[in-house]
Structures are given as structure tokens and as C-alpha cells.
Amino acid sequence: MRISEFQQMIREIYYHKDKKRGVEKTFFWFVEEVGELAEALRKNDREALEEEFADVLAWLASLANLLDIDLEEAAKKKYPGVCPYCGKKPCECEE
């Protein structure tokens, strides 16, 4: 599944709820899911990690839908196959 297909699926399922909730409250849900991902990382719980990564991605797609941002296009623009900072593949930036 492409990112755009996933984003469209999330739009079809949740957009009506997301629109009623609004950007701010949807963002709070996204942040809560990131917190749950952090907890799964801390516990090194593989099953929970998979679930929380999926939840974070879904809430990110919901936010992008509310703001009319195409995640796939935004990602391709920002990360065109090389590091956006040094222009190299692999990245040669100093951390």
C-alpha cells in the first residue's frame, strides 16, 4: 500500500469524525499515540510497538487530511532520495 492509499483509506473511514473533532484535538490524540509508542519502546514490547506505530501513522494521516496535506507528496519533496541537508546518499552530515 502506498502512503497516499493509506491516507485515503483513513480519510474514508475517519474524516467525518476528525473534522468534527478539529485539528487541535486531533493533534492531542496524535501526541497521546506518540506517548504510547514511547511506552512500548521503553518496554521493548514488539507487539505493542507494531500497534503503536500503526496508530501514530493513522493519526498523522488524519491530521494531514484535516490540513489538506498529501503526506506522500510532502515526503517525496522533503526526502528526494538523498539527505535534504548534505545532498548525499548515504547521509554524510555530522550529528
Side-chain angles (χ1 to χ4, degrees):
M1 177 183 303
R2 298 183 62 105
I3 295 170
S4 59
E5 293 169 333
F6 180 78
Q7 186 173 352
Q8 182 60 36
M9 179 188 70
I10 294 299
R11 177 184 288 278
E12 290 169 3
I13 296 169
Y14 297 112
Y15 187 78
H16 68 286
K17 287 182 176 183
D18 294 335
K19 187 169 173 127
K20 283 176 72 175
R21 184 184 313 105
V23 172
E24 185 176 301
K25 288 181 181 176
T26 299
F27 179 74
F28 291 153
W29 277 99
F30 169 74
V31 170
E32 183 174 319
E33 291 300 335
V34 171
E36 290 176 13
L37 175 59
E39 180 72 12
L41 283 165
R42 187 182 65 74
K43 292 180 177 178
N44 197 26
D45 180 340
R46 181 73 181 188
E47 187 175 329
L49 281 167
E50 289 180 4
E51 184 175 316
E52 297 309 332
F53 271 112
D55 286 347
V56 167
L57 184 60
W59 283 101
L60 182 64
S62 285
L63 277 171
N65 285 334
L66 288 173
L67 296 167
D68 199 29
I69 301 292
D70 181 321
L71 284 174
E72 189 168 326
E73 288 303 313
K76 284 193 281 189
K77 183 177 177 183
K78 173 77 179 187
Y79 299 97
V82 296
C83 173
Y85 304 107
C86 69
K88 305 271 178 154
K89 179 181 176 179
C91 174
E92 295 179 3
C93 294
E94 294 196 24
E95 292 185 43

